[in-house]
Amino acid sequence: MENSIERRDVFKATAAAIAAAGASGTFALTSTTAAEKTDSDLADKATILFQGDSITDAGRDRKQGKPNDSRSLGRGYPMLIAGPLLRDYAAKGLTIYNRGISGHKVPDLAGRWQRDCIDLKPDVLSILIGVNDIWHKLNGRYDGTVETYETGYKALLEETMEKLPQTRIVVCEPFVLRCGAVGDHWFPEFTQRLEAARRVADQLSLERVAFQEMFDEAIKVAPPSYWAGDGVHPSLAGHALMAETWRKTLSI
């Protein structure tokens, strides 16, 4: 499938950059100018929506909730993506929202999906969800299974595809790094949930951002705690790497 080939190419390029960093001791993110993006699929006046949990939320001002606003976009990868996109495509008049909410799981997304997704009519929808579906279970605050996660996630995406047939939907891999809160007790169930997210994306022929593979390569350069101190929430470096990989995967 073409999307799978493109993902592999993006991942190889990212992995090569990180591997090169291992030799020099540095990892430099590449910048892309608007002149290099003349073939972008982004339409004029396109709306981009980031959805998910605390990794996406990243301390955003939920009371404001404004598009293209630094406080409303938070301190994480959505803001690090939005700023360069608004710079590179200034003539397109983009509208970029962050609607991630800390602590949310797939059922929580489903409960607010009409208001926080469908009604916004995004041209590009990026979803990162899954880590709380296992973390809250391990903490005894949730009893959802791998099957619950997979079926619920697929149903949410199918609903979105039906109601927003022109929307470009991007499934971001849930990820963890072995440090902080993440220990052996997370496995093999986390891996099963990651594989479930990949299956859903592939079954629905949706684009997938390979964040787990990206971090698996990144820890060859710096320890897991450098990228995510608690094993779940990325550092500034981790968010920057996510933003770069997201843009490369979508070619925007």
Side-chain angles (χ1 to χ4, degrees):
M1 188 165 60
E2 184 178 353
N3 282 342
S4 298
I5 295 171
E6 290 175 354
R7 282 197 299 271
R8 286 198 297 271
D9 290 343
V10 168
F11 177 67
K12 287 177 182 177
T14 303
I18 298 174
S24 64
T26 61
F27 180 73
L29 295 180
T30 60
S31 60
T32 305
T33 66
E36 295 172 314
K37 289 294 181 182
T38 54
D39 60 345
S40 169
D41 290 333
L42 280 178
D44 289 346
K45 308 298 183 183
T47 294
I48 300 172
L49 171 62
F50 292 96
Q51 269 290 0
D53 51 34
S54 57
I55 299 171
T56 301
D57 182 324
R60 71 181 178 90
D61 185 346
R62 298 182 205 160
K63 292 182 179 179
Q64 296 292 328
K66 297 178 181 177
N68 304 355
D69 175 75
S70 58
R71 291 180 301 173
S72 301
L73 287 166
R75 301 183 298 272
Y77 75 95
M79 186 271 291
L80 295 176
I81 293 170
L85 285 180
L86 292 169
R87 174 200 66 203
D88 293 349
Y89 300 111
K92 285 184 176 289
L94 303 179
T95 300
I96 305 178
Y97 290 98
N98 182 352
R99 286 292 186 270
I101 295 183
S102 180
H104 274 201
K105 305 174 292 296
V106 167
D108 300 305
L109 260 62
R112 61 183 176 88
W113 206 241
Q114 183 68 42
R115 176 187 72 250
D116 283 347
C117 177
I118 305 300
D119 290 348
L120 295 175
K121 297 181 174 61
D123 297 281
V124 178
L125 168 63
S126 175
I127 310 175
L128 172 57
I129 197 72
V131 71
N132 287 322
D133 295 69
I134 180 173
W135 202 354
H136 289 189
K137 180 182 178 181
L138 293 172
N139 289 339
R141 297 160 53 192
Y142 181 60
D143 60 2
T145 64
V146 174
E147 182 179 5
T148 300
Y149 171 67
E150 183 168 359
T151 56
Y153 200 1
K154 187 174 183 181
L156 185 68
L157 293 170
E158 288 176 331
E159 174 193 351
T160 308
M161 295 170 71
E162 179 181 352
K163 294 182 177 180
L164 301 172
Q166 303 304 315
T167 296
R168 181 181 183 183
I169 301 175
V170 182
V171 174
C172 298
E173 286 185 358
F175 60 85
V176 294
L177 293 85
R178 286 180 181 263
C179 63
V182 180
D184 291 343
H185 62 298
W186 282 64
F187 302 92
E189 186 169 334
F190 174 77
T191 302
Q192 294 167 355
R193 290 173 182 268
L194 169 60
E195 291 171 346
R198 289 171 173 170
R199 275 196 303 274
V200 168
D202 291 345
Q203 288 169 2
L204 299 179
S205 299
L206 300 176
E207 293 172 273
R208 175 166 54 86
V209 183
F211 281 150
Q212 185 63 65
E213 295 174 74
M214 176 198 76
F215 279 119
D216 288 346
E217 289 299 315
I219 62 174
K220 297 176 182 178
V221 177
S225 59
Y226 178 82
W227 304 105
D230 64 359
V232 172
H233 298 95
S235 63
L236 177 58
H239 275 292
L241 186 56
M242 291 173 67
E244 178 75 0
T245 300
W246 190 93
R247 287 199 69 182
K248 284 183 177 179
T249 301
L250 273 65
S251 297
I252 58 175

